[in-house]
Amino acid sequence: MHYRFQGSGRTVLLLHMACSSSDEFTRMIPFLSKNYRVIAPDHLGFGESDMPPREYQTADYARSILSFMDSLNIEKASILGHHAAAQIAVEIAVTCPDRVESLMLSGIPCSRDPAERLAKLNEPYMQRVEVMQDGSHLMEYWARANRFGESVQVCNERALDYFKAGPRGEEMHWSAAKYHALPKFSSITCPTLLLCGSEDWMLPGSEIAKEVIPRNEFVIIEGGTVIMYREIPGKVAAAILPFLESLRG
């Protein structure tokens, strides 16, 4: 597993969303690393990490992050997960609560009806992108990277992440659609920050989580989208840092 790291102190793990990589956090890491040891891995199958041996489910991704923590001798960390990775963070917190100092769940996918999540498996953007001889798959990567009105620079970064993930890139989206997070929320015992961009289509899931997760704080990032970590990293960090500082007491 490839990872980025910067800073020293208490460990903060940043887990990127599906069809992305640790590059998602490069602009935000400097804001956090002034006071914390910030580590951002590429999930297996993304960025510069190896491909997983088979199609992974959310529990598999969670176990891979725990093994990653073991390999770096990280006994406990504050974990931020964005979109599909927020579910991974939840899975870690409920299965190994002693490894999690706090949770930061960013735009967590959640619904009251599991069938609503499963229906997303039929959406065109969730289908596998096959590599084509004429290179037309590259335009499909670009189209998927440009779904949220990104700047050309950000779209190029995201298209590259799609390219690196290749035909298996949507597998994390599939795992997210199959994962029913709601029943697990009440088992979370650590302090939890729920955050979501005001323009993020996952906002309803965060609002559901707010009703169920014990000891949670909820922050809406005005103007934030699915890609707020790339676009407004300082604004997001300004919401995260007070929460992390509150844990020091």
Side-chain angles (χ1 to χ4, degrees), residues 28 80 106 195 221 228-229 232-241:
M28 192 179 73
L80 181 149
S106 175
L195 65 157
I221 311 296
M228 62 185 182
Y229 293 94
I232 51 171
K235 197 170 183 178
V236 181
I240 291 172
L241 285 168

Side-chain angles (χ1 to χ4, degrees), residues 129-144:
V129 179
E130 299 293 349
V131 176
M132 305 299 290
Q133 184 68 38
D134 63 0
S136 56
H137 61 289
L138 300 177
M139 288 304 298
E140 180 61 25
Y141 291 151
W142 185 270
R144 296 190 186 196

Side-chain angles (χ1 to χ4, degrees), residues 58-133:
T58 297
D60 299 309
Y61 287 112
R63 283 190 289 269
S64 71
I65 294 300
L66 287 165
S67 294
F68 172 79
M69 291 172 66
D70 290 342
S71 71
L72 294 183
N73 297 314
I74 301 171
E75 293 184 8
K76 200 168 191 176
S78 289
I79 302 178
L80 181 149
H82 185 43
H83 275 221
Q87 295 179 328
I88 296 169
V90 166
E91 184 68 15
I92 294 171
V94 298
T95 57
C96 297
D98 57 317
R99 307 296 299 274
V100 183
E101 182 176 11
S102 70
L103 280 181
M104 291 163 281
L105 306 178
S106 175
I108 185 164
C110 176
S111 59
R112 300 189 188 279
D113 182 3
E116 183 180 331
R117 297 286 314 151
L118 289 170
K120 294 186 180 299
L121 291 171
N122 297 319
E123 296 287 344
Y125 71 88
M126 294 276 268
Q127 306 313 306
R128 187 185 302 275
V129 179
E130 299 293 349
V131 176
M132 305 299 290
Q133 184 68 38

Side-chain angles (χ1 to χ4, degrees), residues 18-49:
C19 295
S20 186
S21 73
S22 59
D23 183 56
E24 181 175 307
F25 299 113
T26 52
R27 295 180 179 90
M28 192 179 73
I29 288 173
F31 290 100
L32 304 183
S33 62
K34 294 175 183 177
N35 298 308
Y36 300 95
R37 179 194 185 199
V38 184
I39 300 175
D42 292 341
H43 294 293
L44 290 175
F46 300 94
E48 305 300 326
S49 289

